[in-house]
Amino acid sequence: MGESRSAAGTVPAVTLNDGHAIPQLGFGVFQIAPGDTAAATLEALEIGYRHIDTAEMYGNEKEVGQAVARSGCSRSDVFVTSKLNNGFHRPDDARRAFDRTLVDLAFDYVDLFLIHWPLPTLYDGDYVSTWKTLIEFQREGRARSIGVSNFQPHHLDRLREETEVVPAVNQIELHPYLTQERVRAYGATHQIATEAWSPIAQGLVLGDGTIAAVAAKVGRTPAQVVLRWHLQRGDIVFPKSVKPSRMRENFEIFDFTLDADDMAGITALNRDQRIGPDPDTFDYVPA
Ligand SMILES: NC(=O)c1ccc[n+]([C@@H]2O[C@H](COP(=O)([O-])OP(=O)(O)OC[C@H]3O[C@@H](n4cnc5c(N)ncnc54)[C@H](OP(=O)(O)O)[C@@H]3O)[C@@H](O)[C@H]2O)c1
């Protein structure tokens, strides 16, 4: 994957397997109430974030679209990801859901659209038809890039074997207590960029002694150290915060580096500890 500079100037971009570039640092809006989302997203855009990660299930696509429209940024300068709701995997449902996503965002395209969860125990285990529907969206130009989220290597194998399009990204839970080496290696082999969700494990890793020691050594906060660790591994991150000071803190990670020992020490913290669900058994469908 190549590197280039994003519109924000300081944020590197990762080139995806379809040639599109994604800013390596973005802003996540999971668990931001719809009423707070436009203000938080506007603040993030003001700070310099040019990549927003939302989902139909977060219930705040409309407010993300409003923030982009009000920000003064041109649409092409902001990379926006959304995701298919778990209730809409059947192709006709997926088409209707994607139409609604574009209406709610008030966009004529999204930069990246993902299958949010594989749901292998639902829909007769058929996430392949769902993937083929996302391929249609990409051919129509309404999703510039398409990918998946929470897919394990055996789920990805089926997409590669049964369709002609390899996902551009796989967005997975990934942080120092869940380093996901097997899924990352699969992505590296097959040109699937890895996106790390809950990159600071929703705060869980910030009190870790090893991370605190590295933070003291480099004169940064634990969150900055963890986000920097992700960047140096080549993964894409989009930490969430509703606090402007933390949004800025999480953005200021391009003017220091971690040495090989610091990197290895943080990677060695892995405990294969999930804070979210197991993709092989997760079967939640919103009412
Ligand atoms: N595909 C999926 O299934 C999936 C699942 C989960 C998340 N995601 C995506 O990944 C994004 C990030 O994940 P996440 O929101 O679960 O977790 P996260 O970014 O790891 O952590 C967010 C939490 O940490 C706090 N925080 C943020 N910056 C901080 C800092 N510098 N110092 C101390 N605390 C800080 C935030 O609180 P405050 O807001 O109070 O600052 C919030 O409680 C989501 O917003 C979403 O876009 C995707």
Side-chain angles (χ1 to χ4, degrees):
M1 317 240 165
E3 291 261 310
S4 62
R5 308 307 284 183
S6 77
T10 53
V11 179
V14 171
T15 303
L16 302 175
N17 64 15
D18 57 14
H20 291 297
I22 180 170
Q24 202 184 354
L25 173 66
F27 180 68
V29 298
F30 177 45
Q31 292 177 326
I32 304 186
D36 298 331
T37 302
T41 306
L42 264 172
E43 184 72 41
L45 291 166
E46 185 101 340
I47 288 165
Y49 291 86
R50 290 293 180 274
H51 165 186
I52 312 294
D53 186 89
T54 184
E56 205 276 331
M57 266 193 284
Y58 303 167
N60 55 18
E61 289 170 306
K62 196 175 279 185
E63 292 75 14
V64 166
Q66 287 167 355
V68 172
R70 286 182 205 151
S71 67
C73 295
S74 65
R75 171 68 190 88
S76 58
D77 283 341
V78 186
F79 190 104
V80 177
T81 300
S82 195
K83 316 185 189 84
L84 182 69
N85 188 311
N86 288 352
F88 304 127
H89 273 215
R90 295 205 193 285
D92 279 341
D93 293 334
R95 291 184 189 104
R96 280 189 287 271
F98 184 59
D99 288 348
R100 275 196 302 275
T101 280
L102 290 181
V103 168
D104 284 349
L105 285 163
F107 291 168
D108 49 17
Y109 69 92
V110 286
D111 295 278
L112 176 62
F113 195 64
L114 309 180
I115 300 179
H116 206 147
W117 288 89
L119 307 175
T121 64
L122 301 180
Y123 301 107
D124 305 316
D126 179 17
Y127 41 78
V128 177
S129 314
T130 316
W131 179 242
K132 287 181 177 164
T133 312
L134 265 65
I135 295 172
E136 279 175 28
F137 302 156
Q138 185 177 38
R139 297 223 163 106
E140 293 160 356
R142 299 194 299 152
R144 295 266 165 99
S145 296
I146 52 173
V148 294
S149 180
N150 301 301
F151 274 49
Q152 303 280 30
H154 57 276
H155 305 134
L156 294 163
D157 277 341
R158 281 191 58 199
L159 301 189
R160 286 196 313 109
E161 284 159 13
E162 297 179 44
T163 76
E164 65 290 1
V165 179
V166 175
V169 312
N170 186 19
Q171 182 179 126
I172 53 174
E173 181 184 342
L174 202 174
H175 44 71
Y177 291 164
L178 180 70
T179 57
Q180 296 269 27
E181 305 309 342
R182 203 171 64 89
V183 186
R184 290 178 74 250
Y186 186 101
T189 301
H190 297 289
Q191 293 241 293
I192 302 168
T194 297
E195 296 192 329
W197 65 253
S198 296
I200 58 172
Q202 296 188 342
L204 178 70
V205 297
L206 301 183
D208 185 278
T210 298
I211 291 167
V214 174
K217 181 181 134 188
V218 299
R220 295 294 176 135
T221 68
Q224 288 175 319
V225 164
V226 173
L227 294 171
R228 182 73 210 174
W229 170 81
H230 284 287
L231 293 186
Q232 288 185 212
R233 280 158 58 96
D235 296 337
I236 298 159
V237 286
F238 23 82
K240 168 264 179 187
S241 180
V242 290
K243 300 185 173 66
S245 62
R246 287 179 173 175
M247 292 181 201
R248 270 191 293 278
E249 173 186 335
N250 297 344
F251 195 75
E252 286 164 6
I253 54 173
F254 300 102
D255 54 352
F256 73 105
T257 51
L258 302 178
D259 66 25
D261 286 346
D262 298 335
M263 289 294 294
I266 297 171
T267 304
L269 295 174
N270 181 48
R271 310 168 174 172
D272 290 333
Q273 181 183 347
R274 292 185 186 278
I275 59 169
D278 181 335
D280 273 312
T281 53
F282 188 56
D283 60 1
Y284 168 71
V285 174

